[in-house]
Amino acid sequence: MLLELSLKNFTIIDSLKVEFTNGLNIITGETGAGKSIIIDAIGLLLGDRATTEYIKTGKEKAEIQGIFDIGNNKYLKDLLEQYGLDDDDNVLILCREVSSVGKNICRVNNKPVTLGVMKEIGQYLVDIHGQHEHQSLLNWERHIDLLDLFGGSEILSLRYEFSNIYKKYKELYGKLVELKEKEKDREQRLDFLIFQVSEIERANIKINEEDELRQEKQILSNSEKLFKGSATAYQILYQGDSENPAVYDKLSKTIEELEDICKIDNRLQNSLDTLKEVFYKIEDISINLRDYRDSIEFNPERLDEIEERINLINQLKRKYGGSIKDILNYYQQAKTEINELSNIKENSEKLASELRSIEQDLATLSIKLSNKRKKAAKILEENIAKELAELKMEKSKFKVEFNVKIDNKNGININNESLTISNKGMDIVEFLITTNPGEPLKPLSKIVSGGEMSRIMLALKTILARIDNIPTLIFDEIDTGIGGSAAQAVAEKLSYISREHQVICVTHLPQIASMADNHFYIEKRIFDDVTKTQIKKLGEKQRIKELARMLGGSNFTDITLNHAKEMIETAKEIKQKKFI
C-alpha cells in the first residue's frame, strides 16, 4: 500500500507530504482546491506522461516520491527481481523528476529505470478509477485472470495443470518446427557437416598443441643464439683456453691455496668448505651446459613443419572458433547434428506422435476449463447485477463474453475446430456491459460516463475484493451524478473494499466522507499574492466541521453540525456491524 507521498515544486505546491494508512483514506476540499493534484502526482509515479506544466512557476524541476509497502506481493517481487530491483524489507520507493528542459528521471529504490519499467511496476501497486488511465479492469486481457481467480481453486488448479502441459507442448512444437526446417535442406547440410567433421578429424589437433608448437618454434628460430650462448658459458666456466683459464680451474687453484693455509690456521675452514660446495656445483652446471649445447637442433625443415601446423590451426580457428577448445566443441556439436539429420525422419515422426497425444490432452483440458469458467461467469454476472442494483444501476446488464480464435494453420483440434490456444486455454474472455435498456453490450472501455465507470468498477471490486492482488485502489470523483441512497450504497461498498485493500477516495459527498478511516482536507490559500495548496489530516472535531460544510456550505449551523456528527456515528456502527 501507499505509505507516503511527497511533492516538491509540483504545480502550485511548494512542498507537501501526506502519510496514508490502510483502510479508507478520504480526501475532501472545496471545488478548485486542488484535490486532483494528489491523483495526478500518483499517476506520474505509475508512469503517466509528464509535461512541464506540472512544474511550479519559477522552478527548474518538480519532484514526486512515493513510498510503498509491498508486503508479500509475489508477482511484484518476481518483476523486481527480473529488473534487478530488490525491495528493502518489503518497502519500495518510486521517484519521478520532471525538469523544465523536458528531461524526466525515474528511479525505483534509488536505481534509475525507464518510464516503461516504472509503468510496469506501477500496475501491480495502484489502480486509479475515475478520470485516469490506470483502470486495470479496462484491460480485457486481465479479465480471464480475474474470472479464474473468482472461480477459485478448482479452476486455478486445472489452469495450472493445463499451463504445465502447454509448456511441454510448446517445447516439442518448437523442436518439430526446427526439425522440419532442417529437413528441407537435409542433404546439403549433411554433406557440409560431414566435410567439416572430416576436416577437423584429419587435423588431429589437441588441446595444448598450439602452445607447445609456439614454444618449439621459438626455440628452433633462436637455435644459433642458444648454441652460442650455452657454448660461451660452458667455456668460461669449465673449458677455458690458453689466455683465459676456466673458472673451474681457477677455483680449483684457490681451493688448493686455502687447504695449505688451513693446515697451519683453521680459521678459514668454513670459507674453504663453502668454496668446495660451489666448486662441485659449478662442475654440475658445466655438465648441464655442455649437454644443453649438444642438444641444440638446427632443423629448418622442422621449423617449416611447425609453421604449416600453426597456419592450419589458425585456419580452423577462423572457421570453427577462437581456440582449439572451441574447434573441438564445434566438432562434437556437428557430430551430434549429423546423427540428428541422419535420423531426422524417425525423430520427426516420434515428435509428431508425442504432439498429437499432448494436443488431445490440451483439447480435453481446454473444454473442461472452459465449462468451469462459464459456470463461474454466470455466478459472477449474477453477483455483479446485485451490486449494480444497490448502486442504483439496476437497469444495467453485465456479461462475461467468451470467444475463441480459429487458426486452420497452427491451431489444435478442439470440438472439430482448429483453435488457437495459450497457456490459459482456448478461451478469450472479455467483460461487457450496457447501462441503458435497449443498447447493445459494449466493452468496459467504451463506457463514456465517469460516474458510471466508477460505480461499475466499484461493483467489480466489491466482488473481487478478496482475490484481486492490487493493494491500493484510488477512486477519483466516484460520486459524480449520484446522491441519496445510491451515495450511501457507494460509501458502504468503499468501506467494505477497504477491509481488503487500501482505498484512497476523492469525494464531494458527506455520505462517503463519513465512512473514512482517515480523513484529509485539502485547501488552497494565498500567501504574499502566491497561491499554494496545503493538505492536513483531520481529527474528530475537524471531521464534523468538514462534513457540516459538505452538507450545508461554509455557513453551517448547529443543525448541520449535529447531522454531521450523527453521520459519523452511524458510519462507525455500520462498519462495526458489517465489516468487523
PDB file of all heavy atoms in Angstrom, residues 104-117:
ATOM      1  N   ASN A 104      13.052  13.758 -18.042  1.00  0.00           N
ATOM      2  CA  ASN A 104      12.368  13.003 -16.988  1.00  0.00           C
ATOM      3  C   ASN A 104      13.301  11.960 -16.414  1.00  0.00           C
ATOM      4  O   ASN A 104      13.963  11.234 -17.162  1.00  0.00           O
ATOM      5  CB  ASN A 104      11.131  12.296 -17.544  1.00  0.00           C
ATOM      6  CG  ASN A 104       9.957  13.250 -17.662  1.00  0.00           C
ATOM      7  OD1 ASN A 104       9.152  13.331 -16.766  1.00  0.00           O
ATOM      8  ND2 ASN A 104       9.885  13.967 -18.774  1.00  0.00           N
ATOM      9  N   ILE A 105      13.379  11.894 -15.105  1.00  0.00           N
ATOM     10  CA  ILE A 105      14.202  10.883 -14.438  1.00  0.00           C
ATOM     11  C   ILE A 105      13.298  10.020 -13.568  1.00  0.00           C
ATOM     12  O   ILE A 105      12.533  10.526 -12.746  1.00  0.00           O
ATOM     13  CB  ILE A 105      15.295  11.536 -13.567  1.00  0.00           C
ATOM     14  CG1 ILE A 105      16.235  12.379 -14.448  1.00  0.00           C
ATOM     15  CG2 ILE A 105      16.088  10.470 -12.813  1.00  0.00           C
ATOM     16  CD1 ILE A 105      17.274  13.148 -13.672  1.00  0.00           C
ATOM     17  N   CYS A 106      13.377   8.704 -13.773  1.00  0.00           N
ATOM     18  CA  CYS A 106      12.582   7.755 -12.987  1.00  0.00           C
ATOM     19  C   CYS A 106      13.534   6.888 -12.171  1.00  0.00           C
ATOM     20  O   CYS A 106      14.526   6.384 -12.698  1.00  0.00           O
ATOM     21  CB  CYS A 106      11.739   6.856 -13.895  1.00  0.00           C
ATOM     22  SG  CYS A 106      10.630   7.750 -15.008  1.00  0.00           S
ATOM     23  N   ARG A 107      13.213   6.711 -10.905  1.00  0.00           N
ATOM     24  CA  ARG A 107      14.033   5.861 -10.046  1.00  0.00           C
ATOM     25  C   ARG A 107      13.147   4.922  -9.239  1.00  0.00           C
ATOM     26  O   ARG A 107      12.067   5.312  -8.801  1.00  0.00           O
ATOM     27  CB  ARG A 107      14.881   6.685  -9.078  1.00  0.00           C
ATOM     28  CG  ARG A 107      15.978   7.515  -9.734  1.00  0.00           C
ATOM     29  CD  ARG A 107      16.907   8.124  -8.683  1.00  0.00           C
ATOM     30  NE  ARG A 107      17.967   8.928  -9.271  1.00  0.00           N
ATOM     31  CZ  ARG A 107      17.876  10.219  -9.502  1.00  0.00           C
ATOM     32  NH1 ARG A 107      16.760  10.857  -9.183  1.00  0.00           N
ATOM     33  NH2 ARG A 107      18.874  10.881 -10.033  1.00  0.00           N
ATOM     34  N   VAL A 108      13.646   3.703  -9.046  1.00  0.00           N
ATOM     35  CA  VAL A 108      12.993   2.731  -8.165  1.00  0.00           C
ATOM     36  C   VAL A 108      14.041   2.275  -7.166  1.00  0.00           C
ATOM     37  O   VAL A 108      15.080   1.746  -7.548  1.00  0.00           O
ATOM     38  CB  VAL A 108      12.446   1.528  -8.957  1.00  0.00           C
ATOM     39  CG1 VAL A 108      11.870   0.490  -8.001  1.00  0.00           C
ATOM     40  CG2 VAL A 108      11.389   1.974  -9.951  1.00  0.00           C
ATOM     41  N   ASN A 109      13.766   2.525  -5.890  1.00  0.00           N
ATOM     42  CA  ASN A 109      14.749   2.233  -4.835  1.00  0.00           C
ATOM     43  C   ASN A 109      16.107   2.838  -5.172  1.00  0.00           C
ATOM     44  O   ASN A 109      17.144   2.191  -5.057  1.00  0.00           O
ATOM     45  CB  ASN A 109      14.863   0.733  -4.584  1.00  0.00           C
ATOM     46  CG  ASN A 109      13.712   0.213  -3.742  1.00  0.00           C
ATOM     47  OD1 ASN A 109      12.888   0.980  -3.254  1.00  0.00           O
ATOM     48  ND2 ASN A 109      13.638  -1.087  -3.577  1.00  0.00           N
ATOM     49  N   ASN A 110      16.047   4.084  -5.631  1.00  0.00           N
ATOM     50  CA  ASN A 110      17.230   4.896  -5.939  1.00  0.00           C
ATOM     51  C   ASN A 110      18.027   4.392  -7.139  1.00  0.00           C
ATOM     52  O   ASN A 110      19.148   4.841  -7.380  1.00  0.00           O
ATOM     53  CB  ASN A 110      18.156   5.004  -4.719  1.00  0.00           C
ATOM     54  CG  ASN A 110      18.962   6.298  -4.724  1.00  0.00           C
ATOM     55  OD1 ASN A 110      18.491   7.327  -5.202  1.00  0.00           O
ATOM     56  ND2 ASN A 110      20.175   6.254  -4.219  1.00  0.00           N
ATOM     57  N   LYS A 111      17.470   3.463  -7.912  1.00  0.00           N
ATOM     58  CA  LYS A 111      18.129   2.996  -9.131  1.00  0.00           C
ATOM     59  C   LYS A 111      17.379   3.542 -10.344  1.00  0.00           C
ATOM     60  O   LYS A 111      16.149   3.443 -10.394  1.00  0.00           O
ATOM     61  CB  LYS A 111      18.156   1.474  -9.185  1.00  0.00           C
ATOM     62  CG  LYS A 111      19.071   0.828  -8.163  1.00  0.00           C
ATOM     63  CD  LYS A 111      19.118  -0.683  -8.348  1.00  0.00           C
ATOM     64  CE  LYS A 111      20.069  -1.338  -7.353  1.00  0.00           C
ATOM     65  NZ  LYS A 111      20.116  -2.808  -7.519  1.00  0.00           N
ATOM     66  N   PRO A 112      18.084   4.133 -11.300  1.00  0.00           N
ATOM     67  CA  PRO A 112      17.392   4.684 -12.478  1.00  0.00           C
ATOM     68  C   PRO A 112      16.750   3.582 -13.312  1.00  0.00           C
ATOM     69  O   PRO A 112      17.338   2.521 -13.522  1.00  0.00           O
ATOM     70  CB  PRO A 112      18.517   5.387 -13.251  1.00  0.00           C
ATOM     71  CG  PRO A 112      19.783   4.766 -12.769  1.00  0.00           C
ATOM     72  CD  PRO A 112      19.544   4.339 -11.358  1.00  0.00           C
ATOM     73  N   VAL A 113      15.541   3.845 -13.781  1.00  0.00           N
ATOM     74  CA  VAL A 113      14.824   2.900 -14.644  1.00  0.00           C
ATOM     75  C   VAL A 113      14.163   3.684 -15.765  1.00  0.00           C
ATOM     76  O   VAL A 113      14.050   4.910 -15.712  1.00  0.00           O
ATOM     77  CB  VAL A 113      13.745   2.106 -13.854  1.00  0.00           C
ATOM     78  CG1 VAL A 113      14.373   1.278 -12.754  1.00  0.00           C
ATOM     79  CG2 VAL A 113      12.680   3.047 -13.278  1.00  0.00           C
ATOM     80  N   THR A 114      13.705   2.963 -16.779  1.00  0.00           N
ATOM     81  CA  THR A 114      12.963   3.613 -17.855  1.00  0.00           C
ATOM     82  C   THR A 114      11.529   3.862 -17.407  1.00  0.00           C
ATOM     83  O   THR A 114      11.044   3.252 -16.437  1.00  0.00           O
ATOM     84  CB  THR A 114      12.945   2.738 -19.109  1.00  0.00           C
ATOM     85  OG1 THR A 114      12.225   1.519 -18.824  1.00  0.00           O
ATOM     86  CG2 THR A 114      14.359   2.395 -19.553  1.00  0.00           C
ATOM     87  N   LEU A 115      10.859   4.739 -18.130  1.00  0.00           N
ATOM     88  CA  LEU A 115       9.461   5.012 -17.820  1.00  0.00           C
ATOM     89  C   LEU A 115       8.616   3.755 -18.011  1.00  0.00           C
ATOM     90  O   LEU A 115       7.670   3.501 -17.255  1.00  0.00           O
ATOM     91  CB  LEU A 115       8.942   6.144 -18.720  1.00  0.00           C
ATOM     92  CG  LEU A 115       7.502   6.599 -18.473  1.00  0.00           C
ATOM     93  CD1 LEU A 115       7.341   7.133 -17.056  1.00  0.00           C
ATOM     94  CD2 LEU A 115       7.099   7.681 -19.483  1.00  0.00           C
ATOM     95  N   GLY A 116       8.990   2.950 -19.003  1.00  0.00           N
ATOM     96  CA  GLY A 116       8.259   1.705 -19.250  1.00  0.00           C
ATOM     97  C   GLY A 116       8.329   0.752 -18.070  1.00  0.00           C
ATOM     98  O   GLY A 116       7.336   0.129 -17.703  1.00  0.00           O
ATOM     99  N   VAL A 117       9.510   0.640 -17.460  1.00  0.00           N
ATOM    100  CA  VAL A 117       9.672  -0.232 -16.288  1.00  0.00           C
ATOM    101  C   VAL A 117       8.856   0.298 -15.124  1.00  0.00           C
ATOM    102  O   VAL A 117       8.175  -0.451 -14.424  1.00  0.00           O
ATOM    103  CB  VAL A 117      11.163  -0.350 -15.903  1.00  0.00           C
ATOM    104  CG1 VAL A 117      11.320  -1.060 -14.563  1.00  0.00           C
ATOM    105  CG2 VAL A 117      11.931  -1.098 -16.980  1.00  0.00           C
TER     106      VAL A 117
END
